[in-house]
Amino acid sequence: MSNPESKAITRELQSHAAILGGFVSLLWIIEIVDVFVFRGRLNAYGVRPRSIDGLQGILFMPFLHGSFAHLAANTLPFVTFGWLIMLREISDFFIVSAVTVLVSGFGVWLTGAPYSVHIGASGLIFGYFGFLLLRGYFERSFTSILVSLVVGFFYGSLIWGVLPSQPGVSWQAHFFGFVGGVLTAQFLGRQKRKIN
């Protein structure tokens, strides 16, 4: 590998680390402030189904968590899946994130239980999972198929999270997040096939 290529790869990896590290730092700072300053009151700004005021939670939901344990459980899959998406193009990460947040949030707002509040980045994580799992099918390149197979092999059991399971877990966020990721995989996959 030539020196310019090595430097380009190093810069790319540094960009990945800066973006993911920035997002994760923001999530942890918000949780620390919420716990120690607001005593958990920020969580009221999550998605509240079929409430006009609850629509703002579509944007806030991924940044709010019920506890440090909740956030810790979301941190590693967020970084892992986010980085796998960035490996192709950094812009894919932002597109998948934006579409997933909107689809997951609106889905929760439309179908969630009345008077409930939905928070957490797990809808976003399931969007990343859906994108990575189906990108190979829609894009049909060797690399994307390989990544889809690896994600399916190591994380395939996550698919059960889109079904109603334990109380207090927003399966709607998981389900609609997954749908958002699949829709984005279809859109970006078709775009890349046209280019190639």
Side-chain angles (χ1 to χ4, degrees), residues 41-91:
R41 290 192 298 272
L42 290 182
N43 291 342
Y45 292 96
V47 174
R48 284 177 281 133
R50 293 176 299 287
S51 159
I52 297 301
D53 291 342
L55 280 169
Q56 65 187 353
I58 291 170
L59 297 180
F60 298 146
M61 179 173 70
F63 298 98
L64 302 171
H65 289 81
S67 65
F68 289 117
H70 183 201
L71 176 53
N74 281 339
T75 298
L76 183 59
F78 175 87
V79 170
T80 303
F81 290 158
W83 183 66
L84 287 172
I85 292 171
M86 280 187 189
L87 280 176
R88 175 62 60 81
E89 286 183 37
I90 290 176
S91 62

Side-chain angles (χ1 to χ4, degrees), residues 6-7 13 15 20 63 74 91 112 123 163 178 190:
S6 176
K7 286 181 177 178
L13 292 175
S15 296
L20 290 170
F63 298 98
N74 281 339
S91 62
L163 301 174
F178 186 84
R190 287 178 174 171

Side-chain angles (χ1 to χ4, degrees), residues 3-15:
N3 197 36
E5 287 176 352
S6 176
K7 286 181 177 178
I9 290 171
T10 300
R11 280 196 301 271
E12 189 80 6
L13 292 175
Q14 287 172 340
S15 296

Side-chain angles (χ1 to χ4, degrees), residues 61 64-67 70 74 113 116-120 122 161 163-174:
M61 179 173 70
L64 302 171
H65 289 81
S67 65
H70 183 201
N74 281 339
S116 61
V117 180
H118 299 251
I119 56 174
S122 56
L163 301 174
S165 55
Q166 62 198 67
V169 174
S170 179
W171 67 268
Q172 296 97 333
H174 297 179

Side-chain angles (χ1 to χ4, degrees), residues 23 28 31 36 40 50 58 78 94 138 150 152 184 193:
F23 267 95
W28 279 91
E31 186 60 21
F36 294 109
R50 293 176 299 287
I58 291 170
F78 175 87
F94 290 105
F138 291 115
V150 169
T184 314
R193 283 167 62 193

